[in-house]
Amino acid sequence: MMDLETRLANALAARAAVVPAPPALRIPPPAHRSRSLLMVAAAAGVVAIALGASLLPGRAHPNSSVGKAPAKLPSALVATVDGDLALLDPADGEQRVVSHGAGRRVLTIAGTGDGKTFYLGRAVADKGCASTMTRVEVDAVAGTARETEVVRSAASVTELALSPDGNTLAYVLNSERPHGPRNQCDLSEMHMRDLRSGLDTRLVANAARLPGGEPEPTVVGSMSWNADGSRLVFIVEECCDASASIRAVEPGRTLVVDYLHTPVLVDTEQLGCLPQSVVQREDDLLISAAACGAGSQDFLLSWDEQQRRATRLAVLQSRLSSMTYRSRLVLAMQLEAVVKIDGGGRLRRISGGYTPGW
Amino acid sequence: MVGPQVSVEQLYLEHAHGLCRLAVLLLEDQGAAEDVVQEAFLGLHARPTALRDPDAALAYVRSAVLNGARSRLRRIRVARRHLQQLVPAPSAESAAVLAEDHREVLHALRGLPARQREALVLRYWAGMSEAQIAAAMGVSTGSVKTHTSRAMVALTRDLRSRQ
């Protein structure tokens, strides 16, 4: 049973998360002041338009290799609940254990697409946020995997996404707030790491503050690159599963430091559902969404960015997490099973597992 | 030594949403919360000297929001005597998206006296220290401790009675 302080903090955070932003400030006074306010508002509009234009969603690059199905799909890597790693053949779901994780939980996996090199986040202990990010080289013939530590952090590495060229790794670090509940890792920063130079930059964090000055809890969920690596989309959960938005950054073109300055592609209100995970496909965003409509069902949705419209592809028995996209196929987790999703949104369970990376 | 003077508009952009959330947690009424926040910023606008120090300006607005919310609650209590109506019920939208446990806790919280509720919201939502809460509420740290402790006892009793 949760203690009262935690229940109280969670309840207040959940209620606060669904409070809409107030309307603009209405200051009555003198005419010359109203005019200067108008000028400020007009200038802000120009900045917003310029920022929006620079971050307009891009279509898939026509020469991209993604979309042309290869002769054989590369192997995916799957973790068990105990932190063991297994190579997964996405064709038939066959698994082959390549590493034993000594009980350290795997939080997330991302692959380069060659079926041999992967990155993963592992918890350091059962409690707390501390984790490591490791590079995993799999030898499929020998049935072994070698892990090399890339980053060790007091924060939790919960999301990873490798750019299509394999040179840039986007990752999310979740830490405790200075005065927040213990072991609640709900303050996210998104980082980018150039894997050739090792240069690490913080891409996005949340500058919003609660009235006392404490950082506002914000968690970045799913992340997905587009086909030419120009755009990264991600989900921001404001708090406690109450509302979320899918946002985008263009890491090569814009320097973004605050979630609030990233364009919203779609949010809970527009979708009528709570987005749980997202992948960018050539023609749409594939979204796993929870609590849709009056029946509070979970759906797999296709979001058309041009038409700004969602199409239901499938009813979900439970929420999908860790969706990963390659060669027109999606691997995702549903409960403790890996499911394969084809272009039309049909789901098929292919294997057991905990979190897949491709 | 203070930093550069800020504008009311800039402060509003950065803090109005957070303060509106604070007001909603105290009042459970979006419209009333927005009014309280607007009035607080208009109060700041009328005191340009308060804008010389951004921290002091924020502290001023925060206290104004607390005072405004308390004043509204007092008016609601007066109205209740005539209308037999408790503090406003949560909106249908907010109730729909909150988990059962969250609703229970928030319902219990609404039953607390205003000052006790303020102390809990500032501590467990805004993450403020006892000294910060005391400054915001305009009371001593001893009073904050008393309000918090009594509020937790009352909440525990209320939640147990529902089980």
Side-chain angles (χ1 to χ4, degrees):
Chain A
M1 186 66 186
M2 241 189 291
D3 64 71
L4 180 57
E5 291 187 336
T6 307
R7 288 174 72 192
L8 186 55
N10 288 345
L12 290 169
R15 179 65 188 94
V18 292
V19 173
L25 185 61
R26 302 179 297 268
I27 297 179
H32 73 275
R33 180 160 185 96
S34 301
R35 188 174 171 183
S36 70
L37 278 177
L38 277 176
M39 289 169 71
V40 169
V46 171
V47 171
I49 291 166
L51 187 66
S54 70
L55 291 171
L56 279 177
R59 307 298 291 173
H61 194 281
N63 296 325
S64 162
S65 61
V66 175
K68 298 172 186 170
K72 186 181 185 315
L73 288 165
S75 298
L77 193 68
V78 182
T80 67
V81 71
D82 297 322
D84 297 346
L85 298 175
L87 268 188
L88 170 76
D89 185 336
D92 57 14
E94 188 183 324
Q95 283 189 26
R96 185 179 180 198
V97 174
V98 290
S99 162
H100 295 283
R104 289 175 54 205
R105 274 179 307 132
V106 173
L107 305 167
T108 177
I109 302 177
T112 55
D114 65 1
K116 297 172 186 169
T117 308
F118 299 87
Y119 288 82
L120 53 92
R122 272 194 194 276
V124 165
D126 287 343
K127 281 190 174 179
C129 303
S131 70
T132 59
M133 180 166 71
T134 59
R135 176 185 169 94
V136 185
E137 298 287 349
V138 178
D139 185 333
V141 177
T144 58
R146 187 164 56 92
E147 273 189 56
T148 313
E149 190 172 300
V150 180
V151 171
R152 177 169 281 262
S153 174
S156 187
V157 178
T158 52
E159 298 291 336
L160 291 169
L162 260 170
S163 63
D165 64 7
N167 291 330
T168 310
L169 182 62
Y171 65 101
V172 173
L173 288 177
N174 286 323
S175 52
E176 285 179 3
R177 283 174 288 142
H179 303 291
R182 295 298 307 275
N183 299 321
Q184 195 160 310
C185 318
D186 59 7
L187 196 61
S188 285
E189 285 185 359
M190 190 190 287
H191 287 246
M192 304 279 287
R193 191 176 185 85
D194 185 322
L195 294 173
R196 295 163 298 182
S197 66
L199 185 67
D200 204 295
T201 50
R202 188 174 73 165
L203 186 67
V204 184
N206 185 14
R209 293 284 186 270
L210 298 173
E214 177 84 344
E216 189 171 278
T218 313
V219 175
V220 171
S222 184
M223 291 195 297
S224 172
W225 290 91
N226 67 349
D228 66 4
S230 62
R231 188 178 77 155
L232 184 66
V233 301
F234 56 98
I235 294 179
V236 176
E237 297 167 16
E238 285 202 19
C239 176
C240 308
D241 286 348
S243 67
S245 54
I246 298 178
R247 293 170 177 260
V249 287
E250 293 187 330
R253 293 176 57 189
T254 48
L255 183 64
V256 182
V257 292
D258 194 305
Y259 296 122
L260 298 178
H261 295 140
T262 58
V264 175
L265 303 183
V266 57
D267 60 20
T268 300
E269 196 176 335
Q270 294 166 302
L271 211 53
C273 302
L274 198 60
Q276 298 285 300
S277 56
V278 60
V279 290
Q280 294 192 78
R281 302 195 295 186
E282 285 79 359
D283 303 318
D284 66 355
L285 298 177
L286 187 70
I287 301 168
S288 158
C292 305
S296 276
Q297 282 185 293
D298 294 353
F299 289 114
L300 186 66
L301 303 171
S302 162
W303 175 256
D304 184 322
E305 290 187 65
Q306 306 298 323
Q307 303 289 327
R308 304 199 53 72
R309 193 176 56 199
T311 307
R312 288 176 186 175
L313 299 178
V315 180
L316 298 173
Q317 300 309 311
S318 65
R319 294 173 188 187
L320 295 179
S321 59
S322 306
M323 291 205 295
T324 179
Y325 179 55
R326 204 167 288 283
S327 305
R328 293 183 183 278
L329 272 181
V330 174
L331 287 187
M333 285 302 304
Q334 189 169 37
L335 294 176
E336 290 182 6
V338 180
V339 294
K340 194 157 70 174
I341 304 169
D342 66 19
R346 284 179 291 274
L347 276 70
R348 187 158 64 89
R349 181 189 189 282
I350 59 167
S351 182
Y354 187 58
T355 180
W358 207 344
Chain B
M1 187 70 183
V2 296
Q5 179 157 334
V6 290
S7 68
V8 177
E9 294 83 4
Q10 183 62 30
L11 272 178
Y12 189 84
L13 279 177
E14 290 174 6
H15 297 288
H17 198 181
L19 290 166
C20 192
R21 286 169 165 163
L22 171 64
V24 167
L25 293 177
L26 298 173
L27 291 166
E28 199 46 75
D29 181 327
Q30 178 75 24
E34 287 174 4
D35 288 346
V36 163
V37 171
Q38 284 272 342
E39 285 160 15
F41 276 92
L42 288 179
L44 181 66
H45 180 70
R47 291 167 46 108
T49 51
L51 292 166
R52 288 186 192 147
D53 179 353
D55 290 340
L58 176 59
Y60 171 86
V61 180
R62 192 169 49 211
S63 290
V65 167
L66 293 178
N67 291 336
R70 211 178 298 133
S71 170
R72 293 253 168 179
L73 286 173
R74 206 174 297 126
R75 272 181 263 159
I76 290 169
R77 269 201 300 273
V78 172
R80 187 182 64 185
R81 289 189 199 124
H82 302 287
L83 301 173
Q84 296 293 305
Q85 185 185 354
L86 277 169
V87 287
S91 66
E93 311 89 73
S94 66
V97 295
L98 293 177
E100 179 64 29
D101 186 59
H102 295 164
R103 284 200 295 269
E104 269 186 18
V105 173
L106 293 173
H107 189 272
L109 190 71
R110 283 197 294 277
L112 297 177
R115 292 235 177 226
Q116 291 184 13
R117 194 186 316 177
E118 281 171 32
L120 292 191
V121 169
L122 293 175
R123 172 72 192 94
Y124 294 103
W125 177 67
M128 291 167 69
S129 67
E130 282 176 352
Q132 288 174 314
I133 296 170
M137 291 175 60
V139 298
S140 67
T141 52
S143 290
V144 173
K145 284 179 187 167
T146 306
H147 286 314
T148 307
S149 151
R150 285 180 182 166
M152 292 302 269
V153 169
L155 268 191
T156 305
R157 196 185 311 123
D158 190 336
L159 289 168
R160 275 202 190 128
S161 71
R162 292 166 197 272
Q163 287 173 350

